[in-house]
Amino acid sequence: MSTEPWRSPMRERAEDLLRDFVSRADELLQTQDRMNGLLSAVVGLAEDLSLETVLDRLVRSACELVGARYGALGVIGEDRSLSHFITVGIDEQGIRSIGDLPTGHGVLGLLIREPRPLRLHDLGQHPIASGFPQNHPPMKTFLGVPVRVRDVVFGNLYLTEKTGGLDFTPEDEDLAVALAAAAGVAIQNARHFDDSRRRQKWLEAGMELSSRLIVTPRPGDAENLDLVSETALRVSDSALAVIAVPAGDGALRCRSSLGVQSLQAGREIKASGVVDDVIRTGKSVMVRDPQQVFDDGVVEKLGPVLVCALGHSGSDNGVLILARQSGSGPFTQAEVESSALFGSRIGLALDLARVHALREQNLLFTDRERIARDLHDLVIQRLFAAGLSIQSLRRYTPDPVAHERIAAVTTELDDTIRKLRDTIYSLRTGGNQEPLTGRILKVAEETSRGYAVVPNVAFSGPVDDTVREDVAGHLLSVLSEGLSNAARHSGAADIRVAVTASADDVELVISDNGRGFEEPALTSGLANMRHRAEMLGGSCSIDSEPGMGTRVRWRVGLT
């Protein structure tokens, strides 16, 4: 008797149970794999504290976790549109061919207005779908979830084209929501780290720069202000840095400008309520519209602007204006606060340097006054007495030649006394009222007086702006000595003077086409030229050949 009829139902039941067990085991394994993938993704988000890296890793991890071909993260700006868009799955060439990145229309805008998970079978069939731009890859299945940072929606995660053409499942949505929640914590940590790093950059730059400015002998010079602009430009990742001071009638005058579309020094900037508030309160302000600060001719290619005071409210140091390129992200609150501390520190350094320079100047003027008094009370009186004594010799000799010689010596003494009086006046008034170029021309004119040859004087570079007063004094003395030698001894028909200045050095060249000379024993005049150059760490060369003229080259560094 066969037992097959009653054993077959049992076997079928056992096979069904086995298949069900295997199916559940596969589901458990898949769930375990997904949980392991989610855990790895969460751990990966915490491996780097750079915000850009965290956002990029979030999109890539989400694509791998749910099997999406394309992924994107849209960061929501203050105007409730997408201010930043990170994509995965489309190469750089494809992004360029698509054109402008999304700003938050259609389904993407729906997630901004209604921040909750959204799954679609066909993205293009949604009632508010706005379509794809030209060259955009085809996308059908869609999954979007919001990314929150402390209950505030930071942006939205967009995933499309699930592997195999399948729809995204509720399990995919749960995984994406969980990953987005973990990403919110990572984004918050990355923001804190980014703020801390930026604050540190501003603080270190301010400390280093203020230390340099305090010891500078010329705190308000354009070179030092350019250094402030350059430092601020670097630490703030800006495209333009401007230092401006009040110029009266509500206008500002540019003192320093570096970067794109830099302004010419001395140019006036329109009156701005934003800048006026910063000068009045001493607090830094960030504005998104550059037209609130700059003229229409300057705002091209400029984006957010940060204005901070250099010093306390009402300070004469003016303001520092920083602008980023158009389309760049705004300055963060950490940058606004750090810039205020930077400006306060730099303003204080400029004030201290200015006080130090005034104190040194006061000491110099006191010393000059003492020297002038000694010259007047001792030297001039003795010269005057010597002149009277020489004149009294006339009655002891009837020789006309002797009388002429006495008159010549007396005239020379009178001329020396006049020059000493001019020197005394120069010492008492600071001696720096006239530009250096004017004093050079005056020396050339006075030295050539009485001779047939008038020197040809040429200038190159910022002679009046870069040559320090101590260097100018030596340069004028060398010029007087060189021109005197050329006019009296060379027999030249042409004497040329060239003064060339740069930010690093100044060079004086005196050349003539006279009779020249072989290398002589050092005379007092030539030795004095070389000595003045050596005192300033410079050089002096004198080239001459008989019949070939003479060339004096005197060069001194300014740094």
Side-chain angles (χ1 to χ4, degrees):
M1 182 175 178
S2 175
T3 59
E4 191 63 25
W6 64 269
R7 293 178 61 186
S8 180
M10 292 180 61
R11 182 180 298 174
E12 292 177 359
R13 177 61 176 169
E15 291 177 352
D16 291 340
L17 290 173
L18 181 60
R19 282 194 294 269
D20 184 59
F21 175 77
V22 172
S23 176
R24 292 180 178 273
D26 289 340
E27 291 179 2
L28 289 173
L29 290 175
Q30 291 178 3
T31 301
Q32 184 179 3
D33 290 340
R34 288 186 168 226
M35 294 304 298
N36 289 336
L38 176 61
L39 180 61
S40 299
V42 172
V43 172
L45 291 177
E47 289 180 353
D48 200 303
L49 289 177
S50 169
L51 182 59
E52 289 291 330
T53 303
V54 169
L55 299 180
D56 181 75
R57 188 167 293 175
L58 166 62
V59 181
R60 295 184 182 278
S61 299
C63 289
E64 295 176 3
L65 195 61
V66 301
R69 181 178 180 182
Y70 303 108
L73 176 68
V75 180
I76 301 175
E78 293 184 1
D79 56 355
R80 304 302 298 167
S81 63
L82 297 180
S83 62
H84 200 48
F85 204 76
I86 298 174
T87 61
V88 170
I90 305 176
D91 56 22
E92 292 293 332
Q93 183 177 356
I95 294 175
R96 286 194 297 269
S97 64
I98 293 173
D100 295 337
L101 295 175
T103 58
H105 299 290
V107 176
L108 304 188
L110 175 63
L111 279 173
I112 297 176
R113 296 187 299 272
E114 302 177 10
R116 56 174 179 265
L118 176 65
R119 283 185 295 119
L120 299 176
H121 171 69
D122 190 344
L123 179 61
Q125 297 301 317
H126 194 277
I128 65 171
S130 58
F132 297 111
Q134 188 177 3
N135 300 322
H136 196 285
M139 296 181 181
K140 188 175 180 181
T141 55
F142 175 84
L143 171 60
V145 295
V147 178
R148 288 182 168 85
V149 177
R150 281 191 173 182
D151 297 328
V152 177
V153 178
F154 171 81
N156 290 305
L157 179 62
Y158 309 110
L159 304 166
T160 61
E161 290 297 291
K162 184 175 175 64
T163 304
L166 302 175
D167 288 340
F168 290 101
T169 64
E171 290 78 10
D172 294 330
E173 179 181 317
D174 293 339
L175 289 172
V177 169
L179 181 60
V185 177
I187 291 172
Q188 182 180 354
N189 292 336
R191 277 179 160 179
H192 289 328
F193 174 77
D194 190 58
D195 287 347
S196 175
R197 183 175 57 83
R198 289 182 180 275
R199 290 180 188 273
Q200 182 179 1
K201 286 177 59 178
W202 279 97
L203 180 61
E204 291 177 351
M207 293 176 62
E208 179 183 356
L209 182 57
S210 60
S211 299
R212 296 178 60 180
L213 291 176
I214 288 175
V215 298
T216 183
R218 297 168 294 169
D221 281 4
E223 182 179 347
N224 293 318
L225 295 181
D226 285 346
L227 183 60
V228 176
S229 297
E230 180 183 358
T231 303
L233 194 72
R234 171 173 48 83
V235 300
S236 64
D237 298 326
S238 298
L240 174 65
V242 176
I243 293 179
V245 296
D249 298 330
L252 296 171
R253 178 167 289 110
C254 175
R255 292 290 309 280
S256 172
S257 179
L258 296 176
V260 299
Q261 297 181 245
S262 58
L263 308 179
Q264 184 178 3
R267 173 177 174 178
E268 286 195 357
I269 305 175
K270 71 173 183 179
S272 167
V274 174
V275 178
D276 289 342
D277 289 343
V278 172
I279 294 176
R280 179 174 51 83
T281 64
K283 297 180 179 179
S284 296
V285 174
M286 193 275 291
V287 294
R288 293 179 174 273
D289 185 2
Q291 289 187 335
Q292 293 183 253
V293 178
F294 295 108
D295 297 323
D296 293 339
V298 182
V299 298
E300 184 181 0
K301 297 181 180 179
L302 295 183
V305 178
L306 174 62
V307 185
C308 70
L310 291 177
H312 55 81
S313 59
S315 173
D316 295 333
N317 295 319
V319 293
L320 171 64
I321 306 173
L322 301 170
R324 285 178 173 164
Q325 289 185 341
S326 177
S328 300
F331 293 92
T332 65
Q333 184 61 30
E335 290 177 304
V336 174
E337 296 172 357
S338 298
S339 69
L341 180 60
F342 175 86
S344 175
R345 183 185 294 274
I346 298 305
L348 178 60
L350 291 173
D351 290 338
L352 289 175
R354 191 174 294 110
V355 170
H356 178 72
L358 288 175
R359 185 176 68 86
E360 294 293 330
Q361 188 180 45
N362 184 57
L363 292 176
L364 177 61
F365 286 165
T366 302
D367 198 37
R368 283 179 171 179
E369 179 66 26
R370 179 187 59 79
I371 296 172
R373 185 172 55 252
D374 291 344
L375 286 174
H376 183 272
D377 295 343
L378 299 176
V379 179
I380 288 183
Q381 291 184 11
R382 290 187 178 183
L383 287 175
F384 188 74
L388 292 177
S389 298
I390 292 174
Q391 284 182 338
S392 68
L393 295 176
R394 289 175 178 271
R395 65 176 181 268
Y396 295 110
T397 176
D399 186 357
V401 176
H403 286 186
E404 290 180 3
R405 183 59 181 166
I406 290 173
V409 171
T410 303
T411 302
E412 185 71 22
L413 285 174
D414 289 341
D415 184 58
T416 301
I417 290 174
R418 283 195 298 271
K419 289 184 177 179
L420 273 175
R421 291 187 187 278
D422 291 341
T423 302
I424 292 171
Y425 176 77
S426 176
L427 287 171
R428 285 176 171 170
T429 58
N432 57 354
Q433 301 300 316
E434 186 178 3
L436 178 57
T437 52
R439 285 182 280 168
I440 290 174
L441 292 173
K442 184 178 294 185
V443 169
E445 179 184 358
E446 292 178 353
T447 306
S448 63
R449 187 177 300 155
Y451 297 96
V453 182
V454 177
N456 184 306
V457 182
F459 300 101
S460 178
V463 177
D464 291 329
D465 296 332
T466 60
V467 181
R468 302 192 307 270
E469 189 59 31
D470 58 330
V471 176
H474 289 287
L475 184 147
L476 292 172
S477 297
V478 172
L479 175 63
S480 178
E481 181 72 31
L483 286 178
S484 178
N485 290 337
R488 287 185 298 170
H489 306 304
S490 71
D494 182 55
I495 301 176
R496 296 182 178 274
V497 175
V499 182
T500 304
S502 67
D504 300 322
D505 57 40
V506 60
E507 183 182 80
L508 168 66
V509 177
I510 307 172
S511 57
D512 64 66
N513 63 350
R515 62 177 60 96
F517 55 85
E518 294 181 357
E519 184 65 30
L522 288 179
T523 65
S524 59
L526 301 181
N528 187 43
M529 291 182 187
R530 291 191 173 99
H531 177 65
R532 288 181 182 277
E534 292 171 357
M535 287 175 59
L536 299 172
S539 61
C540 177
S541 62
I542 303 171
D543 301 320
S544 182
E545 294 181 12
M548 301 297 294
T550 303
R551 183 174 183 270
V552 178
R553 182 174 179 269
W554 191 84
R555 181 178 178 277
V556 170
L558 299 176
T559 57

